[in-house]
């Protein structure tokens, strides 16, 4: 009798939920983490106070502002390697994602996508967030969508948070297992 081949248990992904402000990273991230059974980290919590002050004043961050923030997120992701986790981070440019991957090579990205109109409407209804709607244009201007050579999936943000999370979970399930 032949013994069936059993694939080795794959380590859970460390996932970055990315996209422009207002796509729902802070809503979808914790829901996705709960579905995957891994911890969630809010990317905004990694910003130094100077970045929050700058964005609250309606001034976009420049790359020099972002490097320490990305490095802090990369450190968290590296520490979760092999155990899984979900972190929200706009990760708008390829160079930002490359920097995150340099710290945590097995990262997988879930790019939350949607029309500018939908995202602006959602931003207009949120309470207590430091990112003003006025910065949305700079976010879209900066955005470099995932490329074919980047591990990740694009997920449309139309529908309820539960529907979006289900789409993200399904899309992640279609990816190959992370390297050990």
């Amino acid at each position: 009798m032949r013994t069936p081949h059993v694939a080795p248990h794959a380590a859970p992904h460390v996932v970055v939920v990315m996209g422009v402000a207002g796509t729902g990273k802070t809503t979808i991230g914790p829901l996705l983490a709960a579905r995957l059974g891994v911890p969630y980290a809010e990317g905004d919590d990694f910003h130094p106070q100077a970045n929050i002050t700058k964005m609250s004043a309606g001034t976009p961050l420049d790359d020099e502002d972002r490097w320490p923030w990305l490095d802090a997120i990369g450190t968290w992701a590296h520490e979760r390697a092999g155990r899984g986790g979900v972190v929200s981070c706009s990760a708008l440019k390829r160079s930002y994602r490359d920097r995150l991957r340099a710290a945590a090579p097995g990262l997988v990205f879930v790019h939350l996508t949607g029309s500018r109109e939908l995202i602006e409407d959602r931003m207009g209804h949120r309470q207590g967030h430091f990112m003003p709607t006025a910065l949305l244009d700079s976010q879209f201007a900066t955005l470099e969508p995932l490329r074919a050579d980047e591990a990740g999936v694009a997920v449309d943000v139309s529908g309820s948070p539960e529907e979006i999370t289900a789409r993200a979970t399904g899309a992640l399930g279609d990816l190959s297992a992370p390297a050990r």
Side-chain angles (χ1 to χ4, degrees), residues 20-21 51-52 54-61 66 92 116 123 130-142:
V20 299
N51 286 6
I52 293 171
K54 193 171 184 178
M55 289 183 287
S56 296
T59 305
L61 299 179
R66 286 188 179 94
L92 298 177
R116 188 194 186 291
M123 283 183 79
F130 60 81
M131 176 70 83
T133 305
L135 292 182
L136 189 55
D137 287 334
S138 73
Q139 293 261 302
F140 272 105
T142 302

Side-chain angles (χ1 to χ4, degrees), residues 77-149:
H78 175 78
E79 291 169 356
R80 296 300 315 161
R83 299 181 294 149
V86 175
V87 61
S88 58
C89 174
S90 53
L92 298 177
K93 289 184 179 180
R94 170 70 185 249
S95 62
Y96 304 163
R97 298 187 298 272
D98 288 346
R99 191 163 182 126
L100 291 169
R101 277 190 295 268
L107 283 179
V108 174
F109 293 86
V110 171
H111 180 188
L112 299 179
T113 65
S115 71
R116 188 194 186 291
E117 295 75 24
L118 173 64
I119 294 166
E120 183 175 31
D121 180 63
R122 288 185 178 174
M123 283 183 79
H125 289 95
R126 20 184 224 191
Q127 301 294 317
H129 196 278
F130 60 81
M131 176 70 83
T133 305
L135 292 182
L136 189 55
D137 287 334
S138 73
Q139 293 261 302
F140 272 105
T142 302
L143 177 64
E144 296 173 2
L146 289 173
R147 295 185 190 147
D149 66 331

Side-chain angles (χ1 to χ4, degrees), residues 22-96:
T23 53
K25 296 180 295 290
T26 300
T27 299
I28 303 306
L31 293 172
L32 183 59
R35 281 240 180 143
L36 298 175
V38 297
Y40 171 73
E42 169 55 54
D44 288 340
D45 292 345
F46 293 91
H47 273 297
Q49 185 58 46
N51 286 6
I52 293 171
T53 301
K54 193 171 184 178
M55 289 183 287
S56 296
T59 305
L61 299 179
D62 60 28
D63 287 351
E64 291 307 309
D65 297 322
R66 286 188 179 94
W67 299 138
W69 172 62
L70 291 166
D71 291 343
I73 291 171
T75 297
W76 182 89
H78 175 78
E79 291 169 356
R80 296 300 315 161
R83 299 181 294 149
V86 175
V87 61
S88 58
C89 174
S90 53
L92 298 177
K93 289 184 179 180
R94 170 70 185 249
S95 62
Y96 304 163

